[in-house]
Amino acid sequence: MAGGTPRTKQGAATVNGVHTDIVCTAFGDSIFVVVTQYQKLGTLVQVVPGVSVDGTSAPTYTTRVLLGKDEPMTHVFARSLGEKICPHNDYKPFTLAVALKDWSPQVLHAAEELVLQNKVW
């Protein structure tokens, strides 16, 4: 999609009794993913895929909070999404905006599934 217009897909679902919005936008060199239960962006996290030191094992994912709360579960969720998104978009970096009311494993898994249902890469 180099030089083209951004592609966006959005969806919504009720996750664990809470309305959850998903927006995925693909740009030429990156992806922007929004997962929110508050109808606002929340914490912004940059996810950059890398290669392992030995070059033979699974890729690594560096996560960095750009704005918002720097919580361990934010990094867990961002890395998990990285494992699902990056192999399908030539390992380009992406930015995640996340604002969840519930950070339980069930909610995180459901949010990941919603992102994959609305993928644009």
Side-chain angles (χ1 to χ4, degrees):
M1 186 190 93
T5 59
R7 291 174 304 185
T8 299
K9 191 170 180 185
Q10 64 185 33
T14 301
V15 176
N16 218 23
V18 180
H19 179 81
T20 305
D21 292 303
I22 305 291
V23 180
C24 298
T25 303
F27 298 93
D29 60 350
S30 66
I31 292 174
F32 182 54
V33 176
V34 178
V35 179
T36 183
Q37 294 179 326
Y38 288 100
Q39 296 183 324
K40 49 178 95 171
L41 294 178
T43 300
L44 292 176
V45 184
Q46 180 183 44
V47 180
V48 179
V51 293
S52 62
V53 176
D54 62 10
T56 58
S57 57
T60 61
Y61 298 93
T62 302
T63 59
R64 182 169 62 114
V65 172
L66 304 174
L67 180 68
K69 293 182 180 179
D70 193 350
E71 300 286 339
M73 286 307 291
T74 304
H75 292 277
V76 169
F77 184 54
R79 278 194 182 99
S80 182
L81 272 179
E83 291 172 358
K84 292 168 179 61
I85 291 174
C86 293
H88 303 287
N89 77 345
D90 297 327
Y91 290 94
K92 294 176 188 168
F94 72 95
T95 302
L96 169 66
V98 60
L100 296 174
K101 294 179 180 181
D102 180 359
W103 287 86
S104 68
Q106 297 83 5
V107 170
L108 297 180
H109 179 71
E112 284 178 351
E113 290 301 315
L114 281 171
V115 168
L116 295 177
Q117 289 171 15
N118 292 283
K119 65 184 178 181
V120 289
W121 49 91

